[in-house]
């Protein structure tokens, strides 16, 4: 979206959404400047879709989130990203990723991988933690198959 130059970029964005979300968001009045800048209209739309009281409830849930028994590491990471975007709608992306990183280290099901991630000084952010956890998981899977 950031690469598209159009005075009504928000209309293009709304056309990509489901009907329920589109109907809710098209009621918002945006200034001409907000309509053509995704960085300006997206926070407004996110705030509308995640009211403050709901975001507070999601932040509580976020602090207790755990990887489900049959959930892959990648799916758990995706669920964290999705929840962070709704729990912290107006925060900067770096803050959301920092929250994801902490929640990932707390909620990862495999204790051995959690410990290895904390011991590894080279793993300093969420994306690195997910990548390293996946790598460690593949190693453990291959060792148990032999």
């Amino acid at each position: 979206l950031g690469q598209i130059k159009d005075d009504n970029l928000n209309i293009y964005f709304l056309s990509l959404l489901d009907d329920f979300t589109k109907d809710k968001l098209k009621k918002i009045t945006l200034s001409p400047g907000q309509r053509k800048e995704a960085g300006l209209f997206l926070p407004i739309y996110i705030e509308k879709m995640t009211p403050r009281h709901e975001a507070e409830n999601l932040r509580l849930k976020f602090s207790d989130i755990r990887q489900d028994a049959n959930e892959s590491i990648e799916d758990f990471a995706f669920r964290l990203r999705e929840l962070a975007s709704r729990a912290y709608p107006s925060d900067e992306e770096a803050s959301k990723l920092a929250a994801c990183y902490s929640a990932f280290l707390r909620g990862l099901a495999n204790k051995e991988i959690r410990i290895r991630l904390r011991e590894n000084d080279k793993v300093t952010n969420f994306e690195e933690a997910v990548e390293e956890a996946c790598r460690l998981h593949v190693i453990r899977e291959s060792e148990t198959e032999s």
Side-chain angles (χ1 to χ4, degrees):
L1 279 177
Q3 305 300 320
I4 300 172
K5 301 296 181 207
D6 189 310
D7 287 342
N8 291 306
L9 180 59
N10 70 310
I11 301 298
Y12 172 73
F13 173 76
L14 291 175
S15 72
L16 302 173
L17 303 176
D18 62 273
D19 290 339
F20 173 79
T21 306
K22 185 184 331 177
D23 290 342
K24 192 168 184 177
L25 295 179
K26 71 180 181 183
K27 296 175 186 173
I28 297 173
T29 303
L30 298 172
S31 71
Q34 290 170 326
R35 284 195 295 264
K36 63 182 177 180
E37 292 287 334
L40 297 177
F41 69 73
L42 285 176
I44 295 167
Y45 286 170
I46 290 169
E47 182 69 29
K48 177 69 174 176
M49 294 307 297
T50 310
R52 291 192 193 283
H53 67 281
E54 183 180 333
E56 290 169 13
N57 290 336
L58 291 171
R59 281 191 289 277
L60 289 173
K61 181 179 177 184
F62 193 80
S63 66
D64 292 331
I65 196 166
R66 300 289 179 263
Q67 182 182 11
D68 294 332
N70 294 320
E71 185 176 36
S72 72
I73 291 170
E74 295 92 344
D75 288 346
F76 178 53
F78 179 79
R79 189 161 54 99
L80 285 171
R81 279 188 210 97
E82 290 293 307
L83 186 57
S85 69
R86 293 178 18 238
Y88 304 97
S90 58
D91 289 14
E92 294 293 323
E93 191 64 22
S95 297
K96 292 176 191 176
L97 289 174
C100 286
Y101 180 50
S102 296
F104 185 75
L105 292 177
R106 277 191 319 272
L108 200 58
N110 186 304
K111 182 179 179 181
E112 184 181 347
I113 292 177
R114 280 197 321 264
I115 292 169
R116 293 284 304 268
L117 290 175
R118 287 192 174 103
E119 291 174 341
N120 188 337
D121 292 341
K122 294 179 180 159
V123 174
T124 60
N125 63 51
F126 179 56
E127 296 302 328
E128 290 172 355
V130 172
E131 186 176 317
E132 181 65 5
C134 290
R135 188 184 76 77
L136 292 170
H137 177 74
V138 167
I139 291 170
R140 271 142 196 78
E141 288 290 309
S142 67
E143 288 299 315
T144 56
E145 290 175 1
S146 348

